Amino acid sequence: MIVQEEIMVPGLFQAYASSETNPNWKKQIERQQELYKREYDIRSEYERDYTRILHSLAYRRLKHKTQVFFNIDNDHICTRMEHVQHVESVSCTIAKYLGLNVDLTRAIAMGHDLGHAPFGHEGEVELTAIRNEYGFDDFWHERNSLRMVDNIELLQDNQKNYRNLNLTYAVRDGIISHCGEVDQNGISPRKEAINLSEFSSPGKFQPYTWEGCVVKISDKISYVCRDIEDSVTLGILDNCSNELHKLLNLNNFENINNTNVINELVYDLCTNSSFEKGLCFSDKYLNLLNELKAFNYKNIYFCDRIQPSIRYFEVVLNEIYNILKSYYSNDLQTSLNKLCHIYPKLGNSFKGFVNLFYDFGDRTFRENTILFSSNNEKDFYHCILYYISGMTDHFAIEAYQEIIGF
């Protein structure tokens, strides 16, 4: 008797998708405030979230933020924006096959890294060090991405007033819960719709939707292989090519690139996942993914070639923070004017940021949340850290050059 291998049926997760038939639908599309309506708008709630993220300034800045390799002249090396597009592509492919809500998946993927610091994960490390020095908790980009979409990013409404992005709960939840660093198999959504402020560390809770779970696992699929491809292009792996070839040969790959490995991982995930088991790989491909990740940490992320740039990032970010911090006073507006006089580029940029979110400044056509009080010194330090986290690599370096120049 021949037993046929069970094949995953496309659309098997459709009953659990974020849709009007989902018992959690009202919570999933809930916004912190009512979003204005246009007379003619054919978009779904999640499509509106997607386009609100697309038009945000934070999304535009991703093209000048490091993914892994800083200050490269090669236009074909991955930036943070390209990584986000990879996650969008992979996650939407998986969501479509499984029968999940592609619009929700796309919106989460687009917004998941909006709060990444300049200089990639090393910038995140340096901002954590600064925060800890002044008694603040760690910086982690998942939470900062949520803070960006909730508090920092502004768009004009149909009356020309600037407002916060005001995204749906499902998208906001998917953004803060997307941490792809947890090595686990069988990801399923949590059942409770918690207050998202309960996230006190990356990966503390699973996403609230299956679509959020798809983005979480797609993040890992997207970066592991592309980082290797970029490293080969830049010659980073010349001294460990034998180790890489051995790893590929053990897994029956003749060569490694995004299309080959991603296709295998996506197909394996789609054909092994179920409502009961969650989103999961076969043992073979789970081992492959974890082996590739371990290879990257050993030979790429901690390699000697990257260390000089890490030391440079520390100097740049600390100098910017310390200069801005030194201009705190009880008369903040006067201090900021002095900052603008000495450091015009950095000063005017920071002053503009302060005026958006402090309890002073021109509120004409602005109905966004006020975040900081002029009577609170710690608020000023938090404001600086928000501001720096939104910088591109290019702008941070230009600000540093202005600080050290005459």
Side-chain angles (χ1 to χ4, degrees), residues 327-395:
Y327 279 85
Y328 175 77
S329 75
N330 292 328
D331 186 356
L332 194 52
Q333 290 174 306
T334 299
S335 293
L336 292 176
N337 288 335
K338 292 179 180 177
L339 174 68
C340 293
H341 177 71
I342 299 174
Y343 306 110
K345 187 179 186 69
L346 175 62
N348 282 294
S349 172
F350 182 60
K351 181 181 177 181
F353 185 84
V354 166
N355 284 331
L356 288 176
F357 304 106
Y358 256 87
D359 53 0
F360 54 73
D362 183 7
R363 301 301 300 167
T364 306
F365 298 120
R366 299 196 185 279
E367 298 187 15
N368 58 297
T369 303
I370 298 297
L371 301 178
F372 309 112
S373 169
S374 53
N375 297 320
N376 188 319
E377 184 174 354
K378 282 196 171 183
D379 269 11
F380 187 67
Y381 304 152
H382 278 297
C383 179
I384 296 170
L385 290 164
Y386 267 122
Y387 172 68
I388 292 176
S389 73
M391 288 182 174
T392 63
D393 301 356
H394 292 175
F395 187 84

Side-chain angles (χ1 to χ4, degrees), residues 87-114:
V87 176
E88 181 186 350
S89 172
V90 172
S91 62
C92 287
T93 298
I94 295 171
K96 182 179 180 181
Y97 184 88
L98 296 180
L100 295 171
N101 190 315
V102 176
D103 292 337
L104 170 57
T105 306
R106 178 175 287 114
I108 296 171
M110 279 285 284
H112 83 279
D113 270 357
L114 291 185

Side-chain angles (χ1 to χ4, degrees), residues 141-152:
H141 74 271
E142 296 91 345
R143 180 175 60 184
N144 202 56
S145 293
L146 179 63
R147 287 174 173 171
M148 280 286 174
V149 300
D150 278 357
N151 301 323
I152 302 300

